[in-house]
Amino acid sequence: MSAATSQGSVAPRLSGDEIPFNKHRRFKQQSVGDWIVDIIIALLVALIVLLILYPLWFIIIASFSDQGLVSTGKVTIVPLGFQLGGYAKILADSRIWLGYWNTIVYTVIGTALNMLVTMPAAFALSRREFKPRRIILFFFTFTMFFAGGIIPNYLLYKQLHLLNTMWVFILPVAVNVFNLIIARSFFETSIPEDLHDAAQIDGLSYGGYFLKIVIPLSAAIIAVIGLYYFVQHWNDYMTGLIYVRDSSKQPLQIILQNILLANQTQQGGAGTGGASMANQQQLADQIKYGVIIVSTLPLLVLYPFLQKYFNKGVMIGAVKG
């Protein structure tokens, strides 16, 4: 027996789990192949982001640029020949403010109604003690794949006196089944059942449990589904095109289309004068890009405030097998 052993002074060997963590250790252990793979993945992600963002950036700079330079391919990264003629033409039309007002009203009221219907319905369908939930969910899901079509819908809306009213934008889409399923899955998998047991002990009803416990814990999924509904209402184009003939009730999307078509008609009737025709063509192109920016600007402003909830809400609300 060695002296170190006899004196009982041998320090115990540390296992891998007991070795203090070194934040630089993972990088030092990477091989050259690992570094190459990481670099390739980073480049691919950067390329994908660029491919997604560049078209939007090009539309923005093209809406402020000389359309002669845009059409010749000289505008790529920054605007050239700064012009605001397209925006001046769009914003000078008083109909656009009416369209903005109508769309904001339809979107705010519609999204509020969507959330008031979707969240309680999803909560009820998530409760295992609610026996008919399977058959009710089946009927909801059935509507995702089978529908009457445009003509039956038109006749139904006519009988319900929804044509040419604001309610045709709101009531028929009070529930989106896809969003309902996402919210139901969230309530089933992300809200612990122990909370309901504790609420029952405290004497809370299902309504009190839903309002006082479930809703405060569901900020992420509420933000995500609310954004889905908001975008759905804001981009609603077909409803105004098919079911609304009253110009005072048309949403922004239809009014922007009318402005664009009217400008193209004016361009077609401008005559054959070279300079005049070229100016009309450039103005039409600038209006085309400006219409895209005007219609999407509110969504671009709103999204950053909800982005922190977006990824979390989508993942925890995803349908699990």
Side-chain angles (χ1 to χ4, degrees), residues 24-275:
H24 301 293
R25 186 178 59 191
R26 183 176 65 85
F27 300 101
K28 293 180 180 179
Q29 291 177 347
Q30 283 187 321
S31 63
V32 176
D34 294 334
W35 280 107
I36 293 175
V37 171
D38 288 346
I39 293 174
I40 292 174
I41 293 175
L43 291 176
L44 288 176
V45 171
L47 178 61
I48 293 172
V49 171
L50 181 63
L51 291 175
I52 294 173
L53 293 182
Y54 181 74
L56 177 60
W57 175 248
F58 177 78
I59 291 173
I60 293 174
I61 62 176
S63 67
F64 292 103
S65 299
D66 184 344
Q67 296 304 303
L69 300 176
V70 174
S71 60
T72 56
K74 296 180 180 179
V75 175
T76 55
I77 304 298
V78 296
L80 299 176
F82 190 82
Q83 294 181 355
L84 293 174
Y87 288 104
K89 182 76 173 180
I90 295 171
L91 299 179
D93 196 322
S94 60
R95 294 176 298 171
I96 194 171
W97 305 113
L98 177 63
Y100 257 118
W101 171 254
N102 289 339
T103 299
I104 290 172
V105 170
Y106 302 155
T107 300
V108 171
I109 296 178
T111 302
L113 178 63
N114 292 142
M115 301 304 293
L116 286 174
V117 175
T118 300
M119 302 308 288
F123 173 72
L125 293 174
S126 69
R127 301 307 307 168
R128 292 178 175 83
E129 61 270 23
F130 183 50
K131 301 302 181 184
R133 68 186 188 122
R134 298 291 182 186
I135 187 65
I136 293 177
L137 184 61
F138 169 78
F139 286 127
F140 272 118
T141 308
F142 186 85
T143 64
M144 294 179 66
F145 304 100
F146 302 97
I150 294 178
I151 295 177
N153 284 343
Y154 186 91
L155 296 176
L156 175 62
Y157 298 165
K158 183 177 181 180
Q159 291 181 354
L160 295 175
H161 304 289
L162 293 178
L163 299 181
N164 289 317
T165 67
M166 63 175 288
W167 301 109
V168 74
F169 294 94
I170 298 171
L171 294 180
V173 290
V175 175
N176 182 290
V177 179
F178 178 76
N179 294 336
L180 177 70
I181 293 174
I182 291 179
R184 169 186 172 270
S185 177
F186 170 82
F187 290 142
E188 280 189 340
T189 59
S190 301
I191 304 297
E193 187 62 23
D194 295 341
L195 293 177
H196 181 244
D197 297 337
Q200 284 186 314
I201 294 173
D202 290 338
L204 277 180
S205 62
Y206 278 104
Y209 171 65
F210 174 70
L211 294 175
K212 296 181 179 180
I213 297 178
V214 174
I215 290 298
L217 295 176
S218 306
I221 199 67
I222 289 174
V224 170
I225 293 180
L227 180 62
Y228 284 161
Y229 278 128
F230 187 95
V231 173
Q232 174 184 331
H233 285 288
W234 187 269
N235 291 331
D236 189 359
Y237 169 78
M238 294 301 296
T239 301
L241 183 66
I242 298 173
Y243 304 116
V244 177
R245 291 292 177 265
D246 188 348
S247 60
S248 65
K249 293 183 174 62
Q250 290 287 10
L252 177 65
Q253 310 300 333
I254 299 295
I255 290 178
L256 290 176
Q257 182 211 32
N258 293 337
I259 293 174
L260 187 59
L261 291 177
N263 186 77
Q264 290 177 347
T265 302
Q266 293 174 4
Q267 175 195 345
T272 56

